[in-house]
Amino acid sequence: MIHPDSDRRPALGTGADGDPDDATLLAGLDRESEPARQAWRALAEYAAGWAVEPGDVEWTGGCATYGSRVDGLTQALVAVGAVTPAYAWTSFTEPDLAPGGTFTPGDAVRAATAIVRGERFCEGSIGTAWKSGRLFAVVRALSAVSPASPPSADADADADAGGDGPRP
């Protein structure tokens, strides 16, 4: 058992078992297939017009019900490969948002995987991430590596540096 005052889990993005480095996670994104290209376009639309609207997330009888926008976003994340079996999300903490409310592209893949896969075990994970803006941060970070936009120097530097570096 790990003592609560000394978390000995490996830092995110170090290439530890079950947590590939950022470059490996980004290489696993599908930028070529037509369904993925459509999903990248959908993600760009979500990034451009993000807003939490009535009907996006509703609770009925203790069960989360998601509207078409939330379902469309999660399906697009799966289609582009941002929800990946390469990241062992149950073995690591979810990535922290940077002070500006952003993720690196690699951490966006980690967060997308944890949020979407986490829904199976903790109903409402997607809805909480939708309402809190974490999914928006995922979409914004992934837009930096979208085939629809030219790669930025910042995205290349983040991928080369392995994200924000080790985290406690």
Side-chain angles (χ1 to χ4, degrees), residues 55-103:
D56 285 343
V57 181
E58 300 291 335
W59 285 91
T60 308
C63 297
T65 303
Y66 300 122
S68 61
R69 291 172 359 108
V70 178
D71 285 340
L73 176 79
T74 56
Q75 290 170 10
L77 290 171
V78 170
V80 301
V83 179
T84 176
Y87 175 58
W89 64 275
T90 58
S91 298
F92 299 89
T93 59
E94 195 172 320
D96 293 325
L97 286 168
T102 61
F103 285 122

